[in-house]
Amino acid sequence: MDATAAGADPGAAVPRRLLIGGQVRRPASLTVADLRERWAQHRARVVFDCATSGPRRHTFEGPLLREVVGDAGPAFDVRRRKDRSRFLLSVTGGDGHHAVLAWAEIDADFGAAPVLLAASLDGRGLDAAGSQLVVPTDRCGARYISAITGIWVGTWEAAGECDGGPGER
């Protein structure tokens, strides 16, 4: 049965989804509506000091990144701080931009940065545009990612980048 026969609007856009995967126990596929409905919403008023256009002021609302990813069950022992501090998050946007954060930046026992997966921008829902990564503590907004398509969670070793840590060859 096609969408028209089912009574759906044939011109309606399919909601954008972001995938959470990597070293997680419960991979997830989420829409902006899921982000708005399943988690507490937080507000961040930010000023990004753009090199080309000067200060840009915006208000974002959405759940905390640590809560959303935490529900996917990162494969670390939550009781061991050192285990948690090994994990990274790589966020990919629809335009191909990437940002990497350390779990320790967002973990309540470490940096507790209020990083958001924005569901709204300046009072407008982002359902059609897709969720946005907002790091309110960043002065220039370089880790701002729009139309998030994926969040990978894991350790450096799992990424297969090298055999040893920094300085080891």
Side-chain angles (χ1 to χ4, degrees), residues 41-121:
Q41 300 297 289
H42 300 266
R43 177 175 287 157
R45 290 183 176 91
V46 300
V47 178
F48 292 135
D49 189 10
C50 301
T52 57
S53 59
R56 299 268 178 132
R57 290 168 169 66
H58 295 289
T59 301
F60 296 92
E61 289 187 47
L64 294 172
L65 175 63
R66 72 173 161 256
E67 292 175 357
V68 175
V69 174
D71 282 355
F76 50 63
D77 183 343
V78 296
R79 299 166 301 186
R80 296 179 54 221
R81 288 187 182 116
K82 293 271 187 187
D83 199 32
R84 287 182 279 155
S85 69
R86 298 179 311 119
F87 276 69
L88 304 170
L89 299 99
S90 175
V91 181
T92 304
D95 59 1
H97 283 99
H98 300 273
V100 176
L101 296 103
W103 181 265
E105 287 181 79
I106 63 173
D107 190 293
D109 284 343
F110 295 97
V115 177
L116 298 182
L117 291 175
S120 73
L121 165 62

Side-chain angles (χ1 to χ4, degrees), residues 14-21 24 26-39 41 63-73 92 117-119 126-132 147-151 153:
V14 175
R16 290 183 176 257
R17 293 190 163 276
L18 68 89
L19 304 175
I20 301 176
V24 295
R26 294 172 299 282
S29 174
L30 304 168
T31 64
V32 170
D34 293 331
L35 296 174
R36 192 173 24 259
E37 296 163 8
R38 294 186 191 176
W39 291 276
Q41 300 297 289
L64 294 172
L65 175 63
R66 72 173 161 256
E67 292 175 357
V68 175
V69 174
D71 282 355
T92 304
L117 291 175
L126 293 169
D127 299 81
S131 181
Q132 300 178 4
I148 298 171
T149 57
I151 301 172
V153 181

